[in-house]
Amino acid sequence: MSASPEFLCIGAAHWDVIGRSPQAVQCGDDLPGEVEDRPGGVALNIARALVEAGHPTALLAAVGRDAAGVALVAALERDGVQTTYLHRPAHLPTDRYLAIEGAQGLIAAIADNTTLEHSGAGILAPLVRGSLRDWRGLAVLDCGMSATALAEARCLAPLQRDLRLACAAPVKVGRLRPFLGSDAVFYLNRHEACALLGQEFADSQSAAEALVA
């Protein structure tokens, strides 16, 4: 039996498909390199890091019942992440993230989070009517779920005690606006702060001051 989770990580879990070239990549290039498949997603990555640091951690995410999902769950269990509360839809595929990297760093990335977006209520079910409805601990929530699911999460009792919000990308960070003014702790960079508040900031300090205000 797994230990009762000290932490919950809620949000994205998928396979990262990373194509890398040792050369600088330009638009239209066809270059040699390597392609790696690895577990990814903001919530998943944080869960793995917490387990590695010695904290019993459960992941609440949507993972399909396809071959990719079976392999992803097996990888998580090998790493010690608790998968008991995963939402496993039979009719949706496991999500994927595709990135191209060159000598200059990340060139572009596409996240196919269809299953995460469509499974909000299912992901949160253990906190609503399942065995986690009376859970007490620290929860990490990323902004990958739908705006409707995040609004529901905002009202759940187990997430009122100690909630940390991880911003995955500026394009989705606006979904966390309902949490402004709450006791939740935001983790974000300057670009994400600009997107969240809808204004530009010259530096991180001015962005942080505006968030606090």
Side-chain angles (χ1 to χ4, degrees), residues 183-200:
D183 291 331
V185 179
F186 284 77
Y187 293 83
L188 69 177
N189 61 31
R190 182 172 61 86
H191 296 295
E192 292 160 348
C194 291
L196 181 63
L197 296 179
Q199 54 185 300
E200 293 298 318

Side-chain angles (χ1 to χ4, degrees), residues 9 11-14 39-49 59 61 72 76 81 142:
C9 293
H14 50 240
V42 174
L44 182 152
N45 290 335
I46 295 173
R48 292 175 76 197
L59 178 64
L72 185 59
L76 288 168
V81 176
D142 76 36

Side-chain angles (χ1 to χ4, degrees), residues 97-171:
Y97 168 90
L98 174 66
I100 302 296
E101 299 177 357
Q104 67 270 54
L106 177 67
I107 308 303
I110 300 293
D112 181 355
N113 286 329
T114 302
T115 297
L116 174 63
E117 297 261 358
H118 285 77
S119 300
I123 293 170
L124 298 173
L127 296 163
V128 177
R129 56 185 177 276
S131 57
L132 294 176
R133 62 187 180 277
D134 297 320
W135 178 81
R136 295 176 177 272
L138 186 153
V140 180
L141 177 66
D142 76 36
C143 62
M145 290 195 297
S146 68
T148 300
L150 288 169
E152 180 180 349
R154 170 77 172 80
C155 302
L156 294 177
L159 304 185
Q160 302 294 315
R161 300 180 182 96
D162 192 347
L163 180 62
R164 314 300 175 96
L165 300 172
C167 303
V171 71

Side-chain angles (χ1 to χ4, degrees), residues 23-88:
Q23 305 176 47
V25 179
Q26 306 300 326
C27 183
D29 280 350
D30 185 347
L31 299 171
E34 62 181 18
V35 177
E36 176 190 10
D37 292 352
R38 67 187 186 195
V42 174
L44 182 152
N45 290 335
I46 295 173
R48 292 175 76 197
L50 287 168
V51 169
E52 188 175 352
H55 302 286
T57 302
L59 178 64
L60 274 68
V63 178
R65 295 185 179 273
D66 52 3
V70 171
L72 185 59
V73 172
L76 288 168
E77 291 176 346
R78 284 195 299 270
D79 289 342
V81 176
Q82 296 181 30
T83 61
T84 306
Y85 309 105
L86 287 176
H87 178 59
R88 302 295 306 278

